[in-house]
Amino acid sequence: MTAPQTKTPKPRAAALPEVSFSDYGNSRTLHLGSIWVQGSMLLDAPNEIELEYVQRMMAWLLFVEPASVKARHAMQLGLGAASLTKFCRKKIGMKTTAIELNPGVIHACRGWFKLPPNDTKLQVLQADAAQEIQNPRWWGTVDALHVDLYDADAAAPVLDSAAFYADCRRLLTPDGCMAVNLFGRASSYEKSLAKITQAFGVNVNKKGSAEMAGVVSAFKATREGNTVVLARNVLLGNDGLPELPSRAQLALRAENIHTRFGLPAPKWLRAFKLT
C-alpha cells in the first residue's frame, strides 16, 4: 500500500471546508476538512460506482420500466466525488443535474474525479440546495433525486427537516423516487426517517385523475453505517392501495440492472425492507 498523497485545490470559498483527496491503491477519495470520506472513485474505472451505499442510491431503478430509464432526469443534492452524477450521465445517458454549495468540490471533481464539463444533458450548479429546489422550474421534473448532504463532521445531514423533504418531494415526477443517505448515530437515523415519512408516508396527492401516495422503504445499514432510504411516489389502484411491483418483477429488473449497468441489484433485494 502506498502512502496517501493529499493535495488541496485553490481557490476555495471562505467559511467552507477545505477540499482534498487521497489515493490508496486504485481508489481516490474526497475529503472535506476531515478524515471522513465524502466520495470515492476507481482510478481505472472512473464512471463506475465504488462505494456500496452509493450503489444502493441507484435502487430506484427497480421501480421503473427498464426501457424508460435513459429518458429520465436524475438530480443530485450534494456532488460528493460525482459518482452518481457521472454514472447517470455517462453510464446510463440520462439528463443529469447536480447542485453543490462548495465551489471547491466542483473544482476538485472536474480536476481529480473525471467529472465532464456541462453539456446538453449535464448541468452542475453551484448553489444552495435548500434554496435551489424551491425554484418552480424544477418542480415535477425529477425522476431520481439523490440526497447526500453532510458537512466535514459527517454527524447528521445538513438539511434534515420535514419541510426540506416535502420540498424534495415536490421535485418528483408522478413515479419519481428520492434516495437519501443517512449516516450517523441510530437516534439520528430514526429522527431523519420520521421526517421523511412525514413528508412522503402519509400524503396523498392528486395528479389529474390519478391519486398518488408516498411509499418509504429502507436498506439495512452497510458495514460502514450508511443507511439508504427510498421515498417514492406511487399511483393508487382502484382498491386504494399502492400499485407496487411483485417480487418476481423486482427480481427480473434486478437482473436487468446488473446486466446493463454492472450494479449488484440482485443483492439489493436481500438487503431491502419496507419501513
Side-chain angles (χ1 to χ4, degrees):
M1 178 180 292
T2 58
Q5 301 174 355
T6 302
K7 301 178 182 180
T8 302
K10 297 184 181 299
R12 66 179 179 88
L16 291 172
E18 178 179 308
V19 184
S20 62
F21 77 88
S22 298
D23 286 346
Y24 299 90
N26 188 42
S27 181
R28 175 168 292 173
T29 56
L30 180 75
H31 308 273
L32 299 181
S34 73
I35 62 172
W36 294 105
V37 173
Q38 301 285 345
S40 72
M41 177 185 74
L42 294 171
L43 294 174
D44 62 356
N47 293 325
E48 303 295 335
I49 300 177
E50 179 183 12
L51 297 178
E52 182 180 23
Y53 90 86
V54 183
Q55 292 174 347
R56 291 179 175 184
M57 294 185 77
M58 292 298 298
W60 61 270
L61 289 167
L62 290 168
F63 302 101
V64 299
E65 290 296 331
S68 72
V69 172
K70 191 173 181 179
R72 293 176 179 269
H73 176 207
M75 176 180 282
Q76 292 80 48
L77 304 185
L79 185 60
S83 296
L84 289 164
T85 304
K86 291 184 297 179
F87 192 88
C88 290
R89 174 63 188 96
K90 302 291 288 184
K91 188 79 173 183
I92 299 181
M94 298 174 65
K95 178 182 177 182
T96 307
T97 304
I99 300 172
E100 171 57 49
L101 177 64
N102 190 336
V105 172
I106 300 174
H107 178 80
C109 286
R110 289 257 154 81
W112 304 328
F113 291 88
K114 306 293 184 182
L115 176 65
N118 288 355
D119 57 28
T120 57
K121 296 190 75 172
L122 173 64
Q123 189 174 16
V124 179
L125 302 176
Q126 194 265 306
D128 185 321
Q131 296 177 8
E132 185 63 28
I133 64 175
Q134 295 182 31
N135 189 325
R137 69 169 172 153
W138 301 118
W139 296 352
T141 70
V142 179
D143 298 289
L145 179 66
H146 301 115
V147 182
D148 195 0
L149 296 166
Y150 283 83
D151 59 16
D153 295 328
V158 174
L159 298 175
D160 186 44
S161 67
F164 167 70
Y165 293 122
D167 286 342
C168 288
R169 188 180 188 187
R170 188 165 51 183
L171 301 176
L172 297 181
T173 56
D175 62 349
C177 179
M178 176 181 74
V180 184
N181 171 41
L182 297 179
F183 176 78
R185 300 182 304 274
S187 60
S188 173
Y189 165 76
E190 295 294 344
K191 291 176 181 178
S192 297
L193 183 62
K195 295 167 187 174
I196 294 170
T197 301
Q198 181 179 343
F200 278 81
V202 298
N203 283 358
V204 177
N205 297 332
K206 282 195 175 287
K207 292 288 185 179
S209 61
E211 286 192 343
M212 291 169 40
V215 173
V216 179
S217 310
F219 280 93
K220 298 175 183 176
T222 65
R223 289 178 298 176
E224 295 77 19
N226 298 86
T227 300
V228 172
V229 175
L230 301 184
R232 62 191 193 277
N233 288 331
V234 295
L235 293 175
L236 296 179
N238 294 331
D239 57 3
L241 298 176
E243 295 181 340
L244 303 175
S246 68
R247 202 70 181 178
Q249 287 176 308
L250 290 176
L252 286 174
R253 288 179 182 175
E255 290 295 340
N256 181 281
I257 293 165
H258 179 64
T259 300
R260 291 177 64 189
F261 306 126
L263 294 169
K267 294 182 179 178
W268 295 344
L269 299 182
R270 297 193 293 272
F272 198 64
K273 60 181 180 179
L274 294 179
T275 58

